[in-house]
Structure formats: C-alpha cells, structure tokens
Amino acid sequence: MKQLRVTISDVAREAGVSKATVSLVLNGRTSNVAISEATQATVKAAAQRLGYTPNQAARALASRRSYSITMLISNLDNPFFLEIASAAAQATTPREYQLNLVDASQPDAKLRALDHLRGGGTDGLIITIGQDSTRGYVLDALRGLASQGMPVVLLLERSPAPTIPAIRVDNEAAAFQITNHLLGLGHRRIAFLSLAGTEDPLHELGTPVSRFKGYRRALAEAGVAFDQSWLLEDPNPTPAGGSALMHRLLDRSGAPVTAVVCFNDLMAIGAISACNRRGVQVPNEMAVVGFGGIDMGQYTHPPLTTIQHPRTLLGQLAVQTLFDLMEGTPLAELERIVPTELVVRASCGATTSN
Amino acid sequence: MKQLRVTISDVAREAGVSKATVSLVLNGRTSNVAISEATQATVKAAAQRLGYTPNQAARALASRRSYSITMLISNLDNPFFLEIASAAAQATTPREYQLNLVDASQPDAKLRALDHLRGGGTDGLIITIGQDSTRGYVLDALRGLASQGMPVVLLLERSPAPTIPAIRVDNEAAAFQITNHLLGLGHRRIAFLSLAGTEDPLHELGTPVSRFKGYRRALAEAGVAFDQSWLLEDPNPTPAGGSALMHRLLDRSGAPVTAVVCFNDLMAIGAISACNRRGVQVPNEMAVVGFGGIDMGQYTHPPLTTIQHPRTLLGQLAVQTLFDLMEGTPLAELERIVPTELVVRASCGATTSN
DNA sequence: CTGAAAGCGCTTACAG
DNA sequence: CTGAAAGCGCTTACAG
C-alpha cells in the first residue's frame, strides 16, 4: 500500500553528496558549518525533485528532540481554555515546533500524555487541567517528571513544586474585586455558584477555593455576614451546571438573594438563561457575574459582567516559559501572576446599555 | 539536567533476559510468541522497578507507527468543531493511540501538519478545516498524501478524491428543511446570513454554498422569489460576524425581513444578541435559526432553533474510519452521510416556551 | 568545505 | 520458550 519512502540517502545519492551534508543543508545549519552555495542549491533541488520529507521518528531519535510540544486541556468543551490554546498555537507557529492539544477529560488520557513526555514523544508540556494538577496521582507524576528535568508549565493553577513554573492570575483578589463591585451597587445578599468540592480541604489551593475566599473576604469587609445557604455547588462548570444552580436558588423560599457570583462565565451564562426562562429580570431582579471573559459573554442577554483574563498573554507566556525551560534559561520567577480586569457589562446592573 | 534515561537494555539486564524478550512482554505480544509466566513477571517487575518508559521515537522508527493520530481543526475558537473533537478523543482512548489536536487557523500550521503525516510523525489525519480542504494547495497536498496511501479522513466536507473518505451531513437538505420550517410559520421575507464567498464558484462544493442552495430551493418551491439583498456575508463565522450582519440588516430601510437563516449557530447567537440590544423582539419581530446544534444554543435568549448535528457520531465515525484506513479494511463507502435533525426551540417562533 | 562512521533505542524476523 | 543480530532513518562529533 505505501510507496517506498524517499530517505536522506536517496537525496544524498541524487545530489552526489553525503547524508551529513544533506542533513546540514536541510536543517539550515549552514551558518556554523559553511557549505558552498552551489552544494546547498544542488541538495535543495534534489530534495525537492524527490519530494523528500524527513522521517520524524528518525530525526527525533537521533537529535533527541521531537520538535513538538503538548498542551493538556481539561476539557475540550470549555471555550475559556481553548481561547488560550488558540493564543498558544499562534505563539508556537513562528518556532519550528508543532503544538499538540490533548484532551485530558479521561484519566487514561492524562497519564498517557505524561508518559508521552517521559518517552520523549514531546519536548514539553503545558498543563491546563484545573485543580487535578495540584493533587493526587497527577501531582505525583508531575513532580516526578519535573525532578527528572522534563519541561512542564502549569497554567492557571498555583505551582505545585519548586521546579514547575506556573502562569496564573490572582483569583482571590479578582473575586474580591467583583464581589465588591456588587456590594458597591447595593447588593447585600449575594450567592456564590460554584463547583462541587469548593470547601473540601483537599482542594485548598485550587481555583474555586481561591475565588470563594475572595468573595468571602469582600462580604466580611463590607460587614455582610455570610450565609451558608449562599454557597451552591454543581459538579459541572458548564451552562447546564449554572442553570441548575440558578433554578435551585429561585425555587427557594425565604429571603431572596439579589445577586450571584458564578465560578466561571459558562456557569454565569447558564444562570442568566435560567433567569430568562423563568421571567426573572437580569439584572434588576437578579444580578449575575462570571469569571474568565470568554467571547460568548458579550452575546448573552444581558451581556455579562466578568473578570477578563488576558488570554493572549496567558497563551504566549505559557509557550514562552516552556521554551525557556527547554532551553535551560533560568526562570525569573516560579509563579508569574498576570493581571485580570473587571469588565462591567449590563448583567450586574451597573450600566443599562451595552 | 536530564538524568540518564533507562532503556530497554537496562531492563533486559536487570531482568536477566534479552531486549527482544523485554519488548515482547511489554508490548503484550505474548499470545503469539509464548513467553513463560515467570519470565513475564520478572520483566514487568524489572521495568517497574527501574521506572522504564519506552522511547517513543525509537519505537516509532523501528515499528513504523507513531501510535498517534491527528485531528486538524480549522479554528480552536469554534465550539462546534471542539464538541466533535471531544467525541473523537473519547473514541480514541480505548485504543492505544493518542489523539492530537492541531490548530489550522494559520496556513503554516496546515502544511506543517501534512508534512508531519508524510514524515510518519502521526499515523493518520482527520481533517476538519472547512472548505479549505476542498480547494487550493491544501487539496493538492491532500491528494498527494492519499495517493501515497496515507490515511486521511475528511470531516464535514465532501470527499475531494476517490481515496479520501468523508463523513458529512447533507447540508443542502438540512438548509431546505429549516428554511421550509420558517416558510411554514408564515415567513416570506427570509434572509441568509452567510460566510463571505458563498457565491464564489471556487467554493462550489463547500458547506456555505450547499446551505445556501437548500435555502434557495425552499424559497423557490414555496413560490417565493429570492431577493439578492437577502444574502448578507461576513468573513467570520462567529458571533461578531453574525451580529455585524444583523445590524446591517436592521439598519436597512425598505421592506423588512422577518426571519434569518444563519450559516451556523455562532452567527445566529450574534444575530440574536444584536436584536436583543436593539430591542428587536426575537422571534416576534425577527425569527433566527442556526446550524450545528452547539450546546450554547440552548442558553441564548430565546433558545436557538437549529439543525442538530450528531456530534458524538461524527467524532466516532471519523476515528473509526481512520482506523479502518490505517488497518487496510476496505471502506464500505467513500462518503458516509449522517442524519441531522431540526431542533425547534423558541427563536423561530414555533414555540413560545422552551 | 565535505565525508565516513557511530549511535540514538527500539522492533522484528530468524534461529535454535 | 528465548537470544543474537540487523535495521529503521536520521544527526552529530570527528577527521581531513
């Protein structure tokens, strides 16, 4: 079925030079090694004529680099991570590397990806899988890899080991800011729609906990006593999850909540949708805010107030940091914290238009 | 920086057997070759003790398989493609393969991915890059690959060559169906919000053209004369694109359109958002429908009527077909057309709730 | 300015 | 039931 593949030997023969020369020319190592223009042209022409494509495996085995990096993503269905991945892909293209995205929603896939790195199948790993990366067997595996000098960068979680740099945001401060914004608008009964396990001590370094803490601190500083019934949790950080929680909230009798801080934009979109379906006016009867700043937040009704994450910067920094690690450049800092921004749209009630 | 890697020789020495035996045991080739239980246990224990991970490049070079497949995606920001990719990832995990997603939004990245396949860096390719795959240099490259027996499956476009199977839907029929649905609700002035280049003969086999044709046919069969001003085009199949087109439509004076068929759900979401912002009631003053059936369509206000694509099936079939190709199984058919379904929600006006 | 040779770490017939 | 050996197709010092 397959044709005879054309190898570097074929090109060498065709061009009348050695394999070494072909390799040097085709890899552009001609500045340090100096090969005549004529020879270069001959080699390139021969390669072109034969339709030569280097065998990746052979190249990787000999050079000990795969010329690919991998980004592990917790869930391909979450646009927030993919908007960052898109930026990372843009940042990778100018280098002669390929960025591979791998879905980590299944445990098998996570472990396989780590083995892939250990086996040299990829030269570096950007991990964007949420709090799974900061506990359990994944954490153990990560520490093991890092101690062997494998380049691993963590995105959007805290650094779990002194050899694993992290690019992240200050979730506590951001949650404080957006909750404070709601308090400033006069809200006093503010719920927090979160991911299941927010109060689990096991997750104490995770994103949901940090956001919850910031929310709690804002309430406290405003002199508002937190009511345990204000924390609602769903296992899915999705519109479906947010919608379910909002329905639960609206079903409740008793002193009504007037605003909700959602764990992320997707949950906020679900929450807004639930209000719309039940005829609850957003923001007048219920203010809703999210986290992330995904594009879709501009198109909800009303548009979503959120904590905008610098997605392009996050993607670029992750790639940049990974290459620094791969090249052995000393890291300026273990954790790089990038700034977020409160973007006020109509869903919080601070503005009527937009 | 890197430690000495443990190789198969180390394991062989540790276990007191040959490299061949280690390879056989670790790859589970023990049924055909018969190796004693005792030896197997010894080998496995040794590998475990040493923390052995096979070198991917060496394995690939010797076995001529990379144990990875690649899915090229036109744009990581489009949830429609990623929901399918997610299904493809699920379908790949049970096999001992890794599915790599590659962003093809940049031309360089497309070509690089094709070279990667040619160079054996991946064993097969699922292409989901829209009409780019059915014309121009990409098409030439695809044909070249296919003629060399490289496994390539096209997703959601027509098969561009007799050796490249396609998994797709009947866009013409689906567009006919949804347009007909609007006609049945009494609409007579129905616009089509599309991608730039819909009428370009170069794209004649592409998805936008097929959908446009189905829309035209529905109008014709209902005795409605198409008005050229009803075709509006934007280069971006995004909420921003759909929003821009809806604003353009609403800015127009003259006999108003009462419904729009959008090229995809994202554009429809943008269109609905534009209506909401301008106080135009959806669906009463403007009915809006989309294509695709992305999750987000359930959370717009009002929820989106659309042509649901069987995303799980599409992902599974793409993976299945690719493995068939890789294993040399004869294909039942060059094009596999999977059924779509009209999902009626509130944005078309056929139902008030939901 | 370019070539010959070793070697990367596996898998795969082939023996026995 | 298991081992010795060739070979996959490159890159990389090392010579000259």
Side-chain angles (χ1 to χ4, degrees):
Chain A
M1 173 167 160
K2 310 222 174 166
Q3 300 201 189
L4 283 326
R5 288 208 28 85
V6 8
T7 71
I8 199 171
S9 303
D10 300 324
V11 178
R13 196 180 318 116
E14 175 86 4
V17 300
S18 74
K19 295 192 300 175
T21 302
V22 174
S23 174
L24 260 16
V25 170
L26 262 28
N27 287 309
R29 296 235 192 299
T30 51
S31 50
N32 6 353
V33 191
I35 292 182
S36 72
E37 290 292 340
T39 303
Q40 290 191 38
T42 311
V43 168
K44 284 177 183 163
Q48 177 84 43
R49 202 171 327 125
L50 265 34
Y52 171 67
T53 309
N55 179 293
Q56 307 274 334
R59 189 158 117 102
L61 182 57
S63 70
R64 301 166 161 288
R65 334 172 97 199
S66 70
Y67 292 95
S68 78
I69 59 177
T70 298
M71 185 165 178
L72 249 193
I73 303 228
S74 58
N75 189 324
L76 297 178
D77 288 348
N78 190 327
F80 177 64
F81 292 127
L82 281 133
E83 288 172 16
I84 295 170
S86 190
Q90 312 293 316
T92 306
T93 303
R95 319 200 180 224
E96 43 179 345
Y97 270 76
Q98 177 163 92
L99 176 69
N100 290 136
L101 261 52
V102 171
D103 171 55
S105 61
Q106 300 167 94
D108 277 10
K110 283 195 196 66
L111 260 3
R112 197 172 292 174
L114 297 180
D115 275 351
H116 201 238
L117 176 66
R118 296 187 59 217
T122 192
D123 296 343
L125 211 51
I126 296 171
I127 308 222
T128 320
I129 58 174
Q131 50 189 0
D132 277 355
S133 51
T134 56
R135 60 196 159 89
Y137 70 93
V138 176
L139 176 54
D140 292 341
L142 284 183
R143 286 197 174 127
L145 284 173
S147 73
Q148 290 170 60
M150 308 262 66
V152 179
V153 171
L154 203 59
L155 198 49
L156 293 170
E157 291 290 336
R158 305 172 102 99
S159 169
T163 49
I164 304 180
I167 318 288
R168 64 176 185 96
V169 302
D170 188 341
N171 280 299
E172 204 272 350
F176 177 83
Q177 181 184 24
I178 201 162
T179 306
N180 222 20
H181 175 70
L182 290 172
L183 289 161
L185 294 171
H187 294 283
R188 281 299 172 272
R189 307 185 68 81
I190 306 173
F192 189 82
L193 307 192
S194 192
L195 225 41
T198 294
E199 290 183 308
D200 186 333
L202 265 179
H203 305 170
E204 102 189 287
L205 297 178
T207 298
V209 178
S210 302
R211 291 181 184 166
F212 184 59
K213 275 188 187 157
Y215 153 86
R216 290 288 300 265
R217 182 163 64 86
L219 293 183
E221 292 193 10
V224 173
F226 170 70
D227 183 319
Q228 189 62 40
S229 75
W230 294 350
L231 174 63
L232 290 91
E233 299 184 344
D234 189 277
N236 299 115
T238 58
S243 172
L245 293 181
M246 179 56 81
H247 278 299
R248 183 135 54 93
L249 190 60
L250 295 173
D251 284 342
R252 249 156 41 181
S253 54
V257 154
T258 63
V260 296
V261 175
C262 298
F263 170 68
N264 68 11
D265 288 347
L266 286 183
M267 291 188 102
I269 288 171
I272 289 178
S273 162
C275 289
N276 284 334
R277 284 178 190 233
R278 292 174 73 131
V280 172
Q281 295 280 330
V282 178
N284 300 342
E285 300 175 68
M286 182 68 75
V288 178
V289 302
F291 266 86
I294 61 174
D295 285 342
M296 197 54 74
Q298 300 171 57
Y299 300 97
T300 51
H301 179 65
L304 184 64
T305 291
T306 188
I307 294 289
Q308 182 77 46
H309 285 51
R311 294 157 301 177
T312 305
L313 181 62
L314 284 166
Q316 282 171 346
L317 281 176
V319 169
Q320 178 64 52
T321 306
L322 186 60
F323 276 99
D324 284 351
L325 229 45
M326 283 159 52
E327 289 157 7
T329 310
L331 257 51
E333 62 223 328
L334 185 61
E335 293 201 326
R336 171 73 183 267
I337 298 180
V338 301
T340 55
E341 187 192 350
L342 172 64
V343 172
V344 177
R345 301 203 187 93
S347 73
C348 62
T351 155
T352 52
S353 69
N354 192 24
Chain B
M1 170 168 162
K2 308 221 173 167
Q3 302 203 186
L4 282 328
R5 287 208 30 84
V6 10
T7 72
I8 199 171
S9 303
D10 299 324
V11 179
R13 194 179 320 115
E14 176 87 5
V17 300
S18 74
K19 295 193 300 176
T21 301
V22 175
S23 174
L24 260 16
V25 169
L26 263 28
N27 288 309
R29 295 236 192 299
T30 51
S31 49
N32 6 353
V33 192
I35 292 182
S36 72
E37 290 293 339
T39 304
Q40 290 190 39
T42 311
V43 168
K44 284 178 183 163
Q48 178 83 44
R49 202 172 326 123
L50 265 35
Y52 171 66
T53 309
N55 179 292
Q56 307 275 334
R59 188 157 118 104
L61 181 58
S63 70
R64 302 164 160 289
R65 332 172 97 200
S66 70
Y67 291 95
S68 78
I69 59 177
T70 299
M71 185 165 178
L72 249 193
I73 303 226
S74 57
N75 188 324
L76 297 178
D77 288 348
N78 190 327
F80 178 64
F81 293 128
L82 281 132
E83 288 173 14
I84 294 170
S86 190
Q90 311 293 317
T92 306
T93 304
R95 319 199 180 226
E96 45 179 344
Y97 270 75
Q98 177 164 91
L99 176 69
N100 290 135
L101 261 50
V102 171
D103 171 54
S105 61
Q106 300 165 96
D108 277 10
K110 283 194 196 69
L111 262 2
R112 197 172 292 174
L114 297 180
D115 275 351
H116 200 238
L117 176 65
R118 295 186 60 218
T122 192
D123 296 344
L125 211 51
I126 296 171
I127 307 221
T128 320
I129 59 174
Q131 50 190 0
D132 277 355
S133 51
T134 56
R135 60 196 160 88
Y137 70 93
V138 176
L139 176 53
D140 293 340
L142 284 183
R143 286 196 175 126
L145 284 173
S147 74
Q148 290 169 61
M150 307 263 65
V152 178
V153 171
L154 203 59
L155 198 50
L156 293 171
E157 291 289 337
R158 304 173 102 99
S159 169
T163 49
I164 304 180
I167 318 288
R168 65 176 183 93
V169 301
D170 187 340
N171 281 299
E172 205 271 351
F176 177 83
Q177 181 184 23
I178 202 163
T179 306
N180 222 19
H181 175 70
L182 290 172
L183 289 161
L185 294 171
H187 293 283
R188 282 299 172 272
R189 307 185 67 81
I190 305 173
F192 190 82
L193 307 192
S194 193
L195 224 41
T198 293
E199 291 184 308
D200 187 333
L202 264 180
H203 305 170
E204 112 189 276
L205 297 178
T207 297
V209 178
S210 301
R211 291 181 184 167
F212 183 59
K213 275 189 187 157
Y215 152 86
R216 289 289 301 265
R217 182 162 66 85
L219 293 184
E221 293 194 8
V224 174
F226 171 70
D227 183 319
Q228 189 63 41
S229 75
W230 294 350
L231 174 64
L232 290 91
E233 299 184 345
D234 189 277
N236 300 115
T238 58
S243 171
L245 293 182
M246 179 56 81
H247 279 297
R248 183 136 50 97
L249 190 60
L250 295 173
D251 284 342
R252 250 156 40 180
S253 54
V257 154
T258 63
V260 296
V261 175
C262 298
F263 170 67
N264 67 11
D265 288 347
L266 286 183
M267 291 187 102
I269 287 171
I272 288 178
S273 162
C275 290
N276 284 334
R277 284 178 190 233
R278 293 174 71 131
V280 172
Q281 294 282 329
V282 178
N284 300 341
E285 300 175 68
M286 182 68 75
V288 178
V289 302
F291 266 86
I294 61 175
D295 286 342
M296 197 55 74
Q298 301 171 57
Y299 301 97
T300 51
H301 179 66
L304 184 64
T305 291
T306 188
I307 294 289
Q308 182 76 46
H309 285 51
R311 294 156 301 176
T312 305
L313 182 62
L314 284 166
Q316 282 172 346
L317 282 176
V319 169
Q320 178 64 52
T321 306
L322 187 60
F323 276 99
D324 285 350
L325 228 46
M326 284 160 50
E327 288 156 9
T329 310
L331 258 55
E333 62 225 326
L334 184 61
E335 292 202 326
R336 171 73 182 268
I337 298 181
V338 301
T340 56
E341 187 191 350
L342 173 64
V343 172
V344 177
R345 301 202 188 95
S347 73
C348 62
T351 156
T352 52
S353 70
N354 191 25

